Amino acid sequence: MPSIVLATLNARWSHASLGLRYLRANLGALREDSVIAEYTLARPAGEIVADLLARSPRLVGFGVYIWNVTRTTEVIEALKAAAPEVTVVIGGPEVSHEIDAQRICALADFVITGWGDVTFAKLAGQILHGPRPLMKVHAGEQPPLADLVLPYGEFSADDLRRRHLYVEASRGCPFKCEFCLSALDKTAWAFPLDAFLAELGVLWERGARRFKFVDRTFNLKIDASAALLDFFLARIEADADDPPFVHFELIPDHLPARLRERIARFPPGSLQFEIGIQSWNEAVQWHISRRQDNALAEANLRWLRQHTQAHLHVDLIAGLPGEDLASFARGFDRLLALGPHEIQLGILKRLRGAPLFAKAARHTQAFALDFNPQPPYEVRSTRDLDAATLRRIANMAMAWDRVANSGRFPRTLALLLGAPNAPLPGAAFLRFLAFADWLTARTGRSHSLALEELAAHLHAYLAGMAGASVAALDAALAQDYAESGARGRLDVVAATARGPLSKAAVGAALPRQSVHLSR
């Protein structure tokens, strides 16, 4: 039985923890006395504890993040109650700040803040072989990246075959967006490129085809970016029948010709970009120290959509300091007009340690930011968005995922949003917000709806709008449903009959809200 168990709770099984594999790869002589144990949030805490104890560990190290801190706290509490002799070490971004305020830190025997690659190995050696450290909190040592053992050999054959692999060509971020923990980095550090490409080559030869780069600034250094794209293009050209899926996070206003030429060569389904716009409002950008050339970002997004096959996933954040509903609606419509495949609507979260929340007088107080004290710490209200409005945006985000981001209702969505480039900026946002309001009121939720049920609600809503053509609606829904690959039976007429509509209820919110958008 291994003395060390490295554990974490992933959001989904398809996510393979990169952090645990870094820790194991850098354990040195202790590596062979360790094992990785990954669980999902869906697994009960009692089952996780039983599985851990079946391994008879002396030390368990947990990776703690904003999405798993609540369940991990439950697991550690149960583990310490059942086996107090087992030493618990925790690390990760969620426990690297505000340590004294967190129950999970009180339950753990040791806490590592910041980078854990080297520090965990040293601490584990002291715990297992002595002398046992007296200090509970250990600041993570940041070594040169060239000194780290790369973790990619820790991925199993099953990982490569069935899971997305997280990889990184660099760490850190040079930008100062104050809502983000990466603002603390102040710069970015690159792994030695030749060594990293060699590791990618080994993964490829072992059968890996799904790569998610966690670099915050993929296109910061163009030479490195071009080399990474060339790596995958060479393999696509060698075997076009077995292309990869590669995900990068892209800076929106930095896309020189050298990258454009390469990006345009990727075939459909092989390249995805996550692009953080967050807000188009220049005053809001100034409040959060975000540097972004909006005109250039807009031009780059338009070029990517028109001249490449890359899948574009673009982020907006509601609740940022100084952004009201009218501003957010205009920003949404500006982004929608560029045609990204997905628009991720997020709600501002209070990330422990992020500069935005350390400057209380400037932000939290000045903009009346009120956050939920429980994970994921989403903002509940601001000076410019009251609690009810933020709840409506959150419901809209879930409905948008199901209707728009899913890609299953393109024709029906067009009917719902109305004419593109409407003369009133923000009109499309408000039309969908009104639908999400109606859907939430009608069903009590805007998620967890079966495809057929969601289609029926769309039909009911759109059929009740003034001037609606039910024949055109039926045709759009039927074609969307057929092309979605669903194998069920769509009976929207019967569903509509079961739930009579009030046309006033469908459209009441839209005229009342639209009047504010021209400000």
Side-chain angles (χ1 to χ4, degrees):
M1 291 293 184
S3 297
I4 302 170
V5 175
L6 299 166
T8 198
L9 280 66
N10 297 320
R12 297 179 181 86
W13 179 86
S14 60
H15 300 176
S17 171
L18 182 61
L20 295 188
R21 288 164 175 80
Y22 265 110
L23 294 180
R24 188 164 194 259
N26 287 276
L27 274 174
L30 293 175
R31 180 186 172 279
E32 295 303 317
D33 198 19
S34 69
V35 67
I36 289 174
E38 293 179 274
Y39 308 96
T40 68
L41 293 175
R43 192 160 182 185
E47 287 188 11
I48 295 173
V49 171
D51 186 77
L52 289 171
L53 292 179
R55 303 168 188 269
S56 301
R58 293 175 58 192
L59 185 162
V60 180
F62 288 94
V64 187
Y65 303 87
I66 193 171
W67 64 82
N68 72 11
V69 61
T70 300
R71 180 56 57 84
T72 306
T73 302
E74 297 173 7
V75 170
I76 293 175
E77 186 168 27
L79 176 62
K80 295 300 288 184
E85 72 281 3
V86 175
T87 299
V88 171
V89 178
I90 60 175
E94 180 63 13
V95 294
S96 291
H97 306 275
E98 303 178 13
I99 297 166
D100 293 340
Q102 299 190 65
R103 175 163 174 72
I104 192 171
C105 296
L107 290 168
D109 296 290
F110 298 97
V111 180
I112 295 175
T113 64
W115 294 36
D117 314 79
V118 170
T119 305
F120 179 81
K122 293 180 179 178
L123 180 58
Q126 293 169 340
I127 292 169
L128 296 179
H129 304 302
R132 190 177 178 89
L134 298 176
M135 295 187 304
K136 177 170 183 165
V137 179
H138 296 254
E141 176 185 342
Q142 182 174 332
L145 294 185
D147 292 349
L148 290 180
V149 179
L150 296 180
Y152 306 111
E154 302 294 337
F155 286 117
S156 69
D158 192 53
D159 293 333
L160 272 60
R161 186 170 56 253
R162 302 173 60 194
R163 306 173 81 181
H164 288 274
L165 301 188
Y166 291 90
V167 298
E168 59 176 356
S170 65
R171 286 188 185 177
C173 181
F175 301 109
K176 306 297 186 295
C177 306
E178 295 183 13
F179 61 85
C180 181
L181 270 175
S182 295
L184 301 177
D185 295 330
K186 300 186 180 1
T187 189
W189 305 273
F191 284 88
L193 185 58
D194 289 343
F196 177 69
L197 290 175
E199 291 286 337
L200 283 186
V202 172
L203 287 175
W204 185 274
E205 293 301 319
R206 293 177 61 198
R209 293 297 183 269
R210 295 183 295 276
F211 302 85
K212 183 167 184 178
F213 281 73
V214 298
D215 307 49
R216 303 310 302 266
T217 51
F218 154 71
N219 54 327
L220 180 65
K221 302 292 185 182
I222 302 305
D223 287 345
S225 305
L228 291 171
L229 295 175
D230 285 343
F231 172 90
F232 291 106
L233 285 171
R235 282 149 183 83
I236 290 171
E237 291 167 2
D239 186 0
D241 294 329
D242 191 19
F245 171 80
V246 190
H247 172 106
F248 293 109
E249 187 166 335
L250 192 74
I251 304 166
D253 54 3
H254 186 53
L255 198 63
R258 288 177 61 197
L259 294 191
R260 291 188 179 207
E261 182 274 328
R262 289 166 167 84
I263 291 169
R265 291 162 54 194
F266 278 79
S270 62
L271 187 60
Q272 176 170 288
F273 289 128
E274 181 175 351
I275 302 170
I277 292 295
Q278 319 308 6
S279 174
W280 294 104
N281 187 316
E282 293 182 359
V284 173
Q285 292 170 357
W286 182 85
H287 290 317
I288 61 175
S289 302
R290 182 173 180 82
R291 292 179 294 164
Q292 181 171 286
D293 185 325
N294 285 343
L296 190 53
E298 187 172 36
N300 287 338
L301 282 169
R302 184 177 292 108
W303 181 88
L304 285 166
R305 192 65 178 92
Q306 294 176 353
H307 299 284
T308 79
Q309 302 294 330
H311 184 94
L312 306 183
H313 173 113
V314 188
D315 300 329
L316 293 175
I317 297 178
L320 289 170
E323 183 126 66
D324 60 14
L325 183 64
S327 169
F328 192 74
R330 291 193 298 269
F332 177 91
D333 277 24
R334 181 175 181 178
L335 180 56
L336 182 68
L338 299 174
H341 302 88
E342 297 181 54
I343 298 177
Q344 184 69 45
L345 299 176
I347 306 295
L348 179 65
K349 296 176 178 61
R350 183 191 181 279
L351 302 182
R352 297 183 187 274
L356 178 64
F357 314 112
K359 300 179 178 181
R362 180 180 168 204
H363 292 121
T364 307
Q365 295 175 14
F367 294 97
L369 304 181
D370 175 48
F371 292 92
N372 190 330
Q374 300 302 318
Y377 317 116
E378 289 183 331
V379 67
R380 296 185 293 197
S381 64
T382 75
R383 184 196 68 186
D384 302 288
L385 291 171
D386 61 23
T389 302
L390 274 168
R391 285 194 299 270
R392 293 174 66 206
I393 294 174
N395 287 331
M396 175 182 167
M398 290 186 284
W400 185 261
D401 277 343
R402 297 286 290 134
V403 175
N405 289 343
S406 68
R408 288 177 163 176
F409 297 100
R411 298 166 187 83
T412 311
L413 180 65
L415 295 177
L416 178 56
L417 296 179
N421 303 313
L424 187 63
F429 172 88
L430 289 178
R431 287 172 71 93
F432 198 91
L433 181 64
F435 165 71
D437 290 342
W438 175 87
L439 183 64
T440 303
R442 192 180 207 220
T443 67
R445 66 196 193 281
S446 52
H447 63 289
S448 302
L449 295 170
L451 181 62
E452 292 76 17
E453 185 181 4
L454 183 58
H457 290 307
L458 280 164
H459 189 279
Y461 182 82
L462 287 168
M465 295 184 70
S469 168
V470 176
L473 171 59
D474 288 348
L477 259 178
Q479 192 166 355
D480 284 345
Y481 185 79
E483 293 182 2
S484 73
R487 301 182 183 277
R489 181 171 178 269
L490 192 61
D491 189 3
V492 295
V493 176
T496 301
R498 289 195 298 271
L501 280 193
S502 161
K503 292 185 179 180
V506 170
L510 188 59
R512 184 172 62 252
Q513 293 166 340
S514 297
V515 71
H516 301 294
L517 293 176
S518 59
R519 292 181 180 174

